[in-house]
């Protein structure tokens, strides 16, 4: 079954859930009737009350949705995609949460229990990912887009996503081995659309000298905050905590990309150059609403042990402002001057 449930690129969705296999024949067009609208809205309000990271805000948005339903705002919507977009817009009016959205699938959305937990090993992932998907993902860049030397002393690493460590660890190791001889590094996240916290933690681990607490993730469903630390044993050469690192960001730096920039900035391990990032910090999971509707609900939040907050709604502010087109040139010039001191 084709699942398109998560607020991450298809590569990361595949890495997590084994979805986005070969596209099936388009299912028949679904006409949304009154009963379907009522079921979707009732389930949406219930799921938000049960799982959204801020319970008080969930109750607030539920009141708004029911008010708009009574006013007949949704009565004339018979197209599923249109209803999903309208509900997403109404949620955004109240919650302003970048990861929260309602989706429509003309096929059948499976029950929540069929999604199961995210795989934590390559073997688990290979058991659930379709063969053609496995082959396509393993042959891809896995988010490591470019590894280069801008000159003999300055390295360049472009990262477009943060897949789980069981997939990306060899790529990070090879990249960091290639960059180990540089005296300073530019990490380009301007087109990074997210991924997993564990993937972020793995890459940050290369830039510290010892075990370091990165952030805590508080889960609404369990009420438990789990500490996330760097990885002790790395497959590649550790870059260490002394050589300068500059990170390029912009509006296209999202979610886990923001996590990396925010964490490195909070640790005072990197200088962030560019523009303010997207502003989505809440880990998210999908829930079924009805046969053809689902919702991605932020059910957890990242908490930095240094700032005691995160970048939700505000993004990561750069230390040095630069336009996206000019950020690399600014960073290279800054790094060259720093290395000459």
């Amino acid at each position: 079954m084709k699942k398109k449930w998560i607020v991450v690129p298809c590569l990361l969705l595949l890495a997590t859930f084994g979805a986005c296999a070969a596209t099936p024949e388009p299912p028949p067009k679904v006409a949304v009737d009154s009963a379907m609208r009522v079921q979707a809205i009732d389930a949406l309000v219930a799921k938000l009350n049960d799982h959204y990271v801020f319970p008080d805000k969930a109750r607030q948005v539920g009141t708004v949705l029911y008010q708009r339903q009574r006013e007949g705002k949704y009565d004339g919507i018979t197209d599923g995609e249109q209803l999903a977009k309208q509900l997403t817009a109404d949620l955004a009016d109240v919650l302003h949460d970048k990861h929260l959205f309602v989706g429509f699938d003309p096929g059948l959305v499976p029950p929540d229990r069929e999604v199961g937990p995210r795989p934590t090993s390559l073997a688990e992932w290979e058991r659930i990912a379709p063969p053609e998907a496995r082959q396509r993902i393993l042959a891809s860049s896995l988010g490591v887009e470019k590894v280069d030397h801008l000159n003999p002393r300055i390295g360049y690493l472009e990262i477009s996503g943060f897949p789980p460590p069981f997939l990306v660890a060899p790529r990070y190791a090879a990249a960091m081995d290639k960059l180990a001889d540089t005296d300073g590094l530019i990490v380009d996240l301007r087109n990074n659309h997210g991924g997993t916290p564990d993937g972020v933690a793995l890459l940050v681990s290369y830039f510290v000298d010892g075990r370091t607490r990165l952030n805590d993730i508080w889960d609404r469903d369990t009420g438990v905050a789990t500490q996330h630390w760097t990885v002790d044993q790395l497959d590649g050469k550790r870059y260490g905590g002394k050589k300068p690192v500059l990170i390029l960001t912009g509006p296209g730096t999202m979610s886990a990309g923001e996590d990396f920039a925010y964490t490195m900035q909070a640790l005072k391990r990197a200088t962030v150059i560019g523009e303010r990032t997207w502003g989505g910090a809440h880990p998210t999971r999908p829930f079924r609403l009805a046969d053809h509707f689902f919702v991605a609900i932020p059910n957890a939040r990242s908490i930095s042990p240094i700032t005691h907050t995160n970048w939700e709604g505000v993004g990561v502010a750069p230390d040095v402002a630069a336009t996206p087109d000019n950020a690399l040139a600014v960073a290279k010039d800054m790094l060259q001057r720093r290395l000459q001191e």
Side-chain angles (χ1 to χ4, degrees), residues 94-110:
V94 180
L95 299 179
H96 312 291
D97 194 309
K98 295 293 185 73
H99 280 116
L100 176 63
F101 80 98
V102 177
F104 172 79
D105 192 332
L108 291 177
V109 177

Side-chain angles (χ1 to χ4, degrees), residues 20-177:
C20 290
T23 304
E25 290 297 319
K29 185 174 178 61
V30 177
V32 176
D33 58 22
S34 176
M36 293 171 66
R37 289 192 294 269
V38 169
Q39 181 185 7
I41 293 169
D42 284 347
L44 175 59
V45 172
K47 295 292 186 182
L48 288 168
N49 282 330
D50 287 344
H51 302 287
Y52 186 61
V53 65
F54 297 118
D56 56 335
K57 292 185 177 181
R59 291 190 292 271
Q60 181 183 355
V61 77
T63 300
V64 170
L65 290 176
Y66 280 140
Q67 176 63 31
R68 293 179 180 179
Q69 184 183 43
R70 287 192 296 272
E71 293 170 351
K73 182 172 185 177
Y74 311 115
D75 290 353
I77 302 178
T78 59
D79 179 81
E81 293 283 0
Q82 184 182 351
L83 179 60
K85 289 179 181 178
Q86 184 61 61
L87 290 172
T88 299
D90 290 346
L91 294 174
D93 284 346
V94 180
L95 299 179
H96 312 291
D97 194 309
K98 295 293 185 73
H99 280 116
L100 176 63
F101 80 98
V102 177
F104 172 79
D105 192 332
L108 291 177
V109 177
D112 294 340
R113 65 178 180 273
E114 291 186 13
V115 175
R118 298 183 181 187
T120 58
S121 69
L122 184 61
E124 289 179 12
W125 175 73
E126 288 178 334
R127 281 198 298 270
I128 65 173
E132 64 275 15
R134 293 201 303 267
Q135 182 178 1
R136 185 165 62 252
I137 286 183
L138 294 175
S140 75
S141 69
L142 290 171
V144 182
E145 300 298 336
K146 190 172 183 180
V147 185
D148 202 359
H149 288 66
L150 300 183
N151 64 40
R153 300 188 67 188
I154 297 177
Y156 176 81
L157 176 62
E158 181 182 359
I159 302 291
S160 65
F162 286 96
F166 62 78
L167 282 175
V168 78
R171 300 294 177 92
Y172 287 171
M176 298 312 297
D177 284 348

Side-chain angles (χ1 to χ4, degrees), residues 41-336:
I41 293 169
D42 284 347
L44 175 59
V45 172
K47 295 292 186 182
L48 288 168
N49 282 330
D50 287 344
H51 302 287
Y52 186 61
V53 65
F54 297 118
D56 56 335
K57 292 185 177 181
R59 291 190 292 271
Q60 181 183 355
V61 77
T63 300
V64 170
L65 290 176
Y66 280 140
Q67 176 63 31
R68 293 179 180 179
Q69 184 183 43
R70 287 192 296 272
E71 293 170 351
K73 182 172 185 177
Y74 311 115
D75 290 353
I77 302 178
T78 59
D79 179 81
E81 293 283 0
Q82 184 182 351
L83 179 60
K85 289 179 181 178
Q86 184 61 61
L87 290 172
T88 299
D90 290 346
L91 294 174
D93 284 346
V94 180
L95 299 179
H96 312 291
D97 194 309
K98 295 293 185 73
H99 280 116
L100 176 63
F101 80 98
V102 177
F104 172 79
D105 192 332
L108 291 177
V109 177
D112 294 340
R113 65 178 180 273
E114 291 186 13
V115 175
R118 298 183 181 187
T120 58
S121 69
L122 184 61
E124 289 179 12
W125 175 73
E126 288 178 334
R127 281 198 298 270
I128 65 173
E132 64 275 15
R134 293 201 303 267
Q135 182 178 1
R136 185 165 62 252
I137 286 183
L138 294 175
S140 75
S141 69
L142 290 171
V144 182
E145 300 298 336
K146 190 172 183 180
V147 185
D148 202 359
H149 288 66
L150 300 183
N151 64 40
R153 300 188 67 188
I154 297 177
Y156 176 81
L157 176 62
E158 181 182 359
I159 302 291
S160 65
F162 286 96
F166 62 78
L167 282 175
V168 78
R171 300 294 177 92
Y172 287 171
M176 298 312 297
D177 284 348
K178 183 175 179 179
L179 297 167
D181 63 341
T182 60
D183 297 316
L185 180 64
I186 297 171
V187 181
D188 192 344
L189 304 179
R190 288 175 293 178
N191 292 298
N192 188 297
H193 294 162
T196 67
D198 289 344
V200 172
L202 176 60
L203 189 57
V204 173
S205 301
Y206 280 93
F207 300 105
V208 296
D209 294 320
R211 191 166 188 261
T212 304
R213 183 178 169 190
L214 303 179
N215 58 41
D216 301 344
I217 296 182
W218 179 83
D219 188 285
R220 158 78 193 278
D221 295 343
T222 64
V224 174
T226 302
Q227 295 181 0
H228 285 248
W229 293 73
T230 52
V231 178
D232 294 331
Q233 299 296 323
L234 298 172
D235 296 332
K237 295 179 181 178
R238 190 180 293 270
Y239 203 72
K242 301 296 189 294
K243 293 191 284 188
V245 176
L246 277 58
I247 298 174
L248 309 184
T249 65
T253 309
M254 302 178 177
S255 195
E258 296 175 279
D259 186 357
F260 183 86
Y262 188 88
T263 299
M264 291 282 282
Q265 185 184 59
L267 290 170
K268 301 188 183 304
R269 184 60 193 91
T271 301
V272 177
I273 298 175
E275 292 184 347
R276 190 177 292 271
T277 62
W278 183 58
H282 294 153
T284 303
R285 62 163 289 188
F287 295 92
R288 181 184 187 275
L289 300 178
D291 285 347
H292 303 287
F293 291 93
F294 60 91
V295 59
I297 295 181
N299 67 326
R301 68 176 182 267
S302 298
I303 305 170
S304 166
I306 298 171
T307 67
H308 306 292
T309 184
N310 59 40
W311 60 96
E312 177 64 38
V314 296
V316 180
D319 299 301
V320 178
T323 64
D325 291 343
N326 200 39
L328 178 56
V330 170
K332 184 178 179 182
D333 179 68
M334 180 181 298
L335 197 49
Q336 285 175 328

